[in-house]
Amino acid sequence: MTAVHRVLYVASEAYPLIKTGGLADVAGSLPEVLRQQGLDVRLLVPAYADLLHGLDTPSEAVAELSLEGDTVRILQCFLPGTSLRTWLLEHPSFSARAGNPYHDDSGAPWPDNAERFMLLSRAAAAISTSDTALAWRPDILHCNDWHSGPAIALAHLAPLRPRTVFTVHNLAHMGIFDRQTFDRLGLPSLLWQEHGLEYYGQCSFIKAGLVFADEITTVSPSYAREICESPGGMGLEGLLSQRRDHLTGILNGIDSQTWDPASDPHIPTPYDAGTLGGKALNKAALQQQLGLPSRQDCPLLGFVGRLVEQKGLELILPVLEDLLDTPAQLVILGRGDLRYEETLQALASRRPDALSVILDYDETLAHRIEAAADIFLMPSLFEPCGLNQLYSLRYGTVPVVRAVGGLADTVTDASGSALEEGVATGVVFAQPQPDDFLRAVGRAVALWQQPAVWQAVQRAAMAQDFSWQRSAERYLELYRSAID
Ligand code: ADP
Ligand code: GLC
């Protein structure tokens, strides 16, 4: 079997350097775990202004690359808390712009996103296929989501190239730009074809990864199946089912140090499966922090996530007041679409007795909600993997999820037989209807009212192992077979 030595892992965000969602959690964990397994892994991310400001260790410039008229610098640092060599791509379009990596404060995409992420892709391809001042070339180029899709296509066109792996974290974001933009980017015109970046008359960056990668992965086995069919494939199901033999679903892991209720520095009272009483103290502390009535006689429901359609807001909003009347309290933490933010804010001012809405991005509060809530709501319409239900399981916060994607793969419904066998870890419902969701929450609340049953579910949830080791082994196997 061929030994795998070098991997270039490319992502548009990586925790703790910069994070907007689960991709950052994955890119901040998996490469380091692979490194610990003996690979020489380098992580490449853009040097956003906010990222550079947040660095507490110095980075040094290790190379300058000329990319089709642009000059970029590569700064090197270690991913905080790890020994993972991380390369930061410095260019004014990243480094001289504060704020979100992808959009301005009003939520509008940065107008030069195509150019910015083409630079990321060109840099990744250059490092992978030519002699650069880095004096290092990977055996595997591993790209993630649309932001680095074109790197795979560019590498494919080079005379000497590494094997390529492309991971889909969310097919809903395709990196779509118009024909003029494609022309302006100066890509080889042969890439403008159905078996290329062309997507219904437009240009799609994600297609570059899907068409040309030696191996495609996505972040759960169920999502791998769903995207080969309509509607999950979102128009790409034909391409994906043609490539089915090279498409693998590998479940995400979680960083079990960052998300450990027994040692979490963000929560007032650490606890484990043997000291579940700690949750009540965390609940009381959060109620006080958020100004909710101090009640232990009804469950506290939690939601943390982007306030977008994907996360099931259309299922939650129509029945939100019914949920509160169960009775229950609900804490919602998230940023997202203005229409959802406004509706939630209006509801919160009507029901301060039971609803707290925090329209923010707050890492500490996310941990506190996981520790304090009894039940976690994740009724997603689709969910490639989902990390919050995994954090919830670890924190004994019983998740209510829809049977879709990674949610279906990680939560076992509290059916009569699952409860009897002691394997139930949550409540799962099927149809994307508000009433079905409400009934599922009702089932969870009914279980919560039976402390012995509830604690058994909590303990089964907390005993699940979603650490990265197993998933990292699967990536290692995939790298090996790509090289063979
Ligand atoms: P997605 O990547 O689709 O947004 P995931 O469940 O995979 O969904 O990951 C979301 C990650 O982002 C989790 O780590 C979650 O805790 C975090 N997150 C989302 N919204 C917020 C927020 N408003 N404040 C803090 N953390 C958040
Ligand atoms: C995406 C998906 C989410 C997944 C995350 C990390 O943002 O929406 O389901 O957990 O990527 O892979």
Side-chain angles (χ1 to χ4, degrees), residues 165 215 217 248 250 474-483:
V165 176
E215 296 294 334
T217 72
T248 318
I250 304 178
R474 302 279 321 275
Y475 281 103
L476 214 54
E477 279 164 27
L478 188 85
Y479 291 166
R480 287 197 181 117
S481 71
I483 287 193

Side-chain angles (χ1 to χ4, degrees), residues 21-24 26 145 168-170 219 252 306 310-311 378 382-387:
L23 170 59
V26 175
D145 275 356
V168 179
H169 295 263
N170 195 336
V219 288
N252 284 334
R306 294 178 294 118
Q310 175 193 342
K311 300 294 173 186
M378 209 154 161
F382 68 93
E383 196 60 78
C385 177
L387 295 172

Side-chain angles (χ1 to χ4, degrees), residues 19 21-23 25 259 304-306 310-311 333-335 360-363 366 378 383 386-388 391:
K19 168 169 165 179
L23 170 59
D25 290 346
W259 293 93
V304 178
R306 294 178 294 118
Q310 175 193 342
K311 300 294 173 186
L333 168 65
R335 291 295 316 266
D360 194 4
Y361 189 91
D362 186 336
E363 201 72 33
M378 209 154 161
E383 196 60 78
L387 295 172
N388 273 120
Y391 303 148

Side-chain angles (χ1 to χ4, degrees), residues 17 42-43 45 51-52 55 57-62 74-80 82-88:
L17 295 171
R42 312 290 163 107
L43 171 66
V45 289
L51 180 161
L52 291 173
L55 275 186
T57 51
S59 59
E60 50 160 348
V62 288
I74 302 290
L75 311 178
Q76 179 167 285
C77 66
F78 288 97
L79 187 72
T82 74
S83 302
L84 181 74
R85 260 176 236 277
T86 300
W87 287 334
L88 309 173

